[in-house]
Amino acid sequence: MRLHLPDEEAQVRFGVTLASLLPPCAIVFLEGDLGAGKTTLVRGILRGLGWRGNVKSPTYTIVEPYEFDGITLYHFDLYRLADPEELDYLGLREMLGQGMLLFEWPERGAGCLPDPDCVIRISHSREGRELTIEAINKELRGRLETALQEF
């Protein structure tokens, strides 16, 4: 599935929509170059779930947890991960099944990450961003296909 988003506002709106489609313990891989808007999409997902606070990139902390209203979301940025096995020290195994896990730069955690429900590739285009969405989870795929027709 492909989606063109003309600006940052549209990317946040899509994140809000995506939040309503993802299962509570979804695992999402976010791929794209620096500045593609991975954290912007996470901000939209968090907004869609009801988060009203700041959303920062966990570039230096590697993981930023958000806990609110019975929801837990873990936002990972693996760009600075030296070794995928560091994920064990961060408590990844304990986080599985406890909330949504969103991974920026998932290729840096290769071999230590769980299988994703969805992979979103974000690329720059002349006018905004192009998203390529691969929903591995069949139920999610159906909901996404319907939502994208209306977006």
Side-chain angles (χ1 to χ4, degrees):
M1 294 174 267
R2 297 187 61 84
L3 178 65
H4 173 78
L5 299 172
D7 54 29
E8 184 175 330
E9 182 181 317
Q11 198 158 342
V12 170
R13 271 195 333 271
F14 176 67
V16 169
T17 298
L18 186 57
S20 68
L21 306 173
L22 292 170
C25 293
I27 297 170
V28 179
F29 288 0
L30 302 167
E31 300 176 350
D33 294 334
L34 285 170
K38 297 178 292 293
T39 298
T40 300
L41 188 58
V42 171
R43 184 179 327 118
I45 292 169
L46 280 161
R47 293 286 181 264
L49 294 171
W51 179 258
R52 297 294 168 238
N54 289 332
V55 177
K56 59 183 178 177
S57 176
T59 301
Y60 294 100
T61 58
I62 300 179
V63 63
E64 190 68 39
Y66 297 88
E67 297 181 33
F68 58 101
D69 299 333
I71 296 169
T72 303
L73 184 145
Y74 297 99
H75 177 199
F76 289 83
D77 183 333
L78 305 183
Y79 185 75
R80 296 189 185 280
L81 196 69
D83 185 318
E85 291 184 11
E86 288 179 43
L87 291 166
D88 283 338
Y89 298 111
L90 293 170
L92 175 62
R93 289 181 191 188
E94 290 79 19
M95 294 175 200
L96 293 172
Q98 301 303 311
M100 285 187 195
L101 281 73
L102 309 180
F103 292 94
E104 295 187 29
W105 302 98
E107 63 275 12
R108 306 237 178 184
C112 291
L113 293 179
D115 292 333
D117 293 295
C118 183
V119 178
I120 301 174
R121 292 173 190 89
I122 306 170
S123 58
H124 298 273
S125 73
R126 288 185 185 176
E127 297 177 13
R129 301 291 187 265
E130 295 292 330
L131 275 63
T132 303
I133 305 162
E134 178 186 0
I136 292 97
N137 176 308
K138 291 179 184 178
E139 188 176 315
L140 175 59
R141 184 182 315 132
R143 290 192 301 243
L144 272 167
E145 287 171 350
T146 300
L148 290 179
Q149 290 172 4
E150 299 171 7
F151 196 78

